[in-house]
Amino acid sequence: EISIYPNPSSDIVNIDIDGYSGNFQIELYDFTAKLLLTSTKNKILIKDFPKGLYFMKITYVNKEKKIKLIKN
């Protein structure tokens, strides 16, 4: 299971994958599906993005999970 917190967030978002400590990739998209950021870290900084709805795609061990993120 993947945890994204806090959500909604205004500054930093933490990503935890329960029981997994290997490599993963995060892609952050806006509501028009424009790629805004790619990261391999478990924290991303979103404070410079406008308020609104975003989508995170998290890829790990040949799995892919999409999660909605709200920036407030």
Side-chain angles (χ1 to χ4, degrees):
E1 182 174 321
I2 298 176
S3 300
I4 306 293
Y5 59 93
N7 188 10
S9 179
S10 59
D11 192 19
I12 295 174
V13 177
N14 300 287
I15 298 98
D16 287 332
I17 303 173
D18 190 35
Y20 181 74
S21 61
N23 296 328
F24 59 92
Q25 179 173 325
I26 300 164
E27 295 175 345
L28 183 68
Y29 296 87
D30 68 9
F31 69 95
T32 67
K34 178 182 175 187
L35 178 62
L36 302 174
L37 126 78
T38 302
S39 177
T40 57
K41 307 225 184 265
N42 65 343
K43 293 181 185 213
I44 58 170
L45 185 64
I46 62 168
K47 72 176 186 174
D48 294 331
F49 295 127
K51 293 178 181 180
L53 179 63
Y54 295 85
F55 300 92
M56 297 178 70
K57 182 169 82 170
I58 302 168
T59 306
Y60 66 103
V61 194
N62 298 325
K63 295 180 184 178
E64 185 177 285
K65 178 82 173 181
K66 294 178 183 163
I67 300 173
K68 292 179 185 176
L69 172 65
I70 298 170
K71 163 76 164 56
N72 59 5

